[in-house]
Amino acid sequence: MKKRYFGLPLPYYLAIFSFSLVLILFGSFFDYKLSKALVDQKDAIGLFIETMGQVFGFATIPFGAVLVFKSMNKKEGIGFKILGWALFLIALIMSVYNLGDAMCIKEGSGYYGYRFTPVVAYLISVLLNAVLFVTAFLVLKNEYSKEMFFLGLIFLLGELLQWLIVKLFKHIGCRPRYRFLLSEEGISNHVVFRSWWEFQPFKYSGDNYYSWPSGHSASIAQVLMFPAIIPFLKYPFKNEKVTFYSLAIALALLVPYFRIRVGAHYLSDVGFGLLFGSLIDFALLALFSLNPKKKEEKEEKNKAKNANIFSKKEGRKQA
C-alpha cells in the first residue's frame, strides 16, 4: 500500500477514519444524553454555520473546476480544451445550485438557521462562488499536469458522490432531528428518539426527518483534501503545510460540533457524515493514484531479477 496519495499521508486518513468511528461508537450509546446536555437552538454561531457552513465544503467544487480547467487549457489539442470548459461549466452550475438550494426557505424544513427567499439565496450563492472561483484562478498554477487534472476531478467527484450517498441514506434512515423532538409539531405527532440503526426507509419526507447522516459533516470532509493543492500553488509560503492541515482539521471539528449544538444532528450523525465523506475521498485518491505503467515496470524488473538469479545458480552448477 502506498504511503501518500496526492501528497496526503496514509496515517492522516487512518486518523480521520478512527476518529469518525469513535464518534459513531460513543454516539451509539450516548446520542440522546449528549444532545440534551449540549443543545442550544439559538446559538448564533451554530445557526450561522447551519446556513453558511456548506460554503466551506462546496469550496472544493470551484477549486476542483479551476484545477481541471487550467490543466486542460494548457494541454495540446482542442478536445482537451473543450473537456476543460465543459467540466468547468458543469461545476459552476453545480456549485451555484447546491449552495443556493442549501440557503433557500423550504416547506418542512423546521427551525433552520438563517434562510432566504430563492432570489436572495441564489444571489448570495453567485457572489460567494464568484469569490471562490476568482480566488482559485489567482492562487493556482496555469500549467498542464496529469496530477493537477486528476486532483481537480477528485474534488468534483468527491463532492458529487458524497451528496448523492448522503441524500440516499437520509431517505433510508428517516431519523428525526433532536430539535424536532422538542418542537410543538414533534410532540403533537408523538415523534420519539430513534437510534441511527433503527431505519424507517422512505416513511417520512422533509428536513425534520433527515438527521442521519450529517450532510454538513460529509461535505466538510472534502476540505480535508485541501492540503493536496499545495504543489499547485502559484505563490508558496512559509509553513503552508501547517496552515492548510490546521485549517482543514479545525473546520472538520467545528462544523460537526455546531451541528450538534443547534439540535440538527446527534454525535453518531456527524461521525457517519465524516466517515462517508472521507471514505469516498480516500477511495478516489487511491484510485487515481494507481499507475499501471509503474506496475508493469515493477513486474518486468522482478522478472529480470529472478532471471538473473536463476542464471547465476545455473552457472554455479556448471562450475
Side-chain angles (χ1 to χ4, degrees), residues 10 27 35 43 104-105 116 134 190 237 244 261 278 285 310:
L10 179 60
S35 289
D43 185 277
C104 276
I105 295 171
F116 312 99
V134 169
H190 307 290
F237 57 92
F244 271 86
R261 176 72 171 158
S278 56
L285 289 165
F310 180 76

Side-chain angles (χ1 to χ4, degrees), residues 129-236:
N129 272 286
V131 171
L132 291 170
F133 274 95
V134 169
T135 302
F137 267 104
L138 290 175
V139 303
L140 295 172
K141 290 179 182 177
N142 190 29
E143 63 181 23
Y144 169 69
S145 166
K146 186 173 72 173
E147 288 76 19
M148 187 173 174
F149 171 76
F150 282 163
L151 182 62
L153 205 56
I154 290 167
F155 276 13
L156 299 180
L157 288 173
E159 191 64 56
L160 176 63
L161 290 174
Q162 69 80 17
W163 182 80
L164 290 171
I165 289 169
V166 167
K167 285 282 184 187
L168 174 63
F169 279 118
K170 281 181 182 289
H171 287 286
I172 291 173
C174 285
R175 189 184 195 188
R177 298 183 188 273
Y178 178 77
R179 64 187 175 204
F180 185 50
L181 304 183
L182 309 180
S183 68
E184 290 182 13
E185 186 185 348
I187 293 168
S188 62
N189 289 328
H190 307 290
V191 179
V192 295
F193 170 79
R194 280 191 283 112
S195 296
W196 63 264
W197 60 83
E198 296 178 288
F199 301 150
Q200 293 191 3
F202 306 100
K203 187 174 180 179
Y204 305 100
S205 62
D207 189 71
N208 289 322
Y209 288 95
Y210 294 158
S211 182
W212 179 86
S214 167
H216 279 69
S217 301
S219 183
I220 209 66
Q222 311 302 303
V223 179
L224 293 166
M225 287 195 293
F226 254 109
I229 72 169
I230 291 172
F232 310 114
L233 292 174
K234 270 186 188 176
Y235 314 106

Side-chain angles (χ1 to χ4, degrees), residues 47-105:
L47 293 175
F48 175 79
I49 285 178
E50 183 152 51
T51 306
M52 307 303 292
Q54 298 280 45
V55 175
F56 303 114
F58 291 157
T60 53
I61 300 176
F63 275 82
V66 173
L67 283 166
V68 168
F69 178 79
K70 284 198 167 191
S71 181
M72 289 294 96
N73 201 43
K74 286 294 180 179
K75 179 79 172 166
E76 291 183 8
I78 188 68
F80 292 107
K81 290 178 173 58
I82 292 172
L83 175 63
W85 272 104
L87 289 174
F88 178 81
L89 292 173
I90 291 168
L92 176 61
I93 295 167
M94 176 179 160
S95 189
V96 170
Y97 170 75
N98 281 345
L99 187 54
D101 182 66
M103 293 187 289
C104 276
I105 295 171

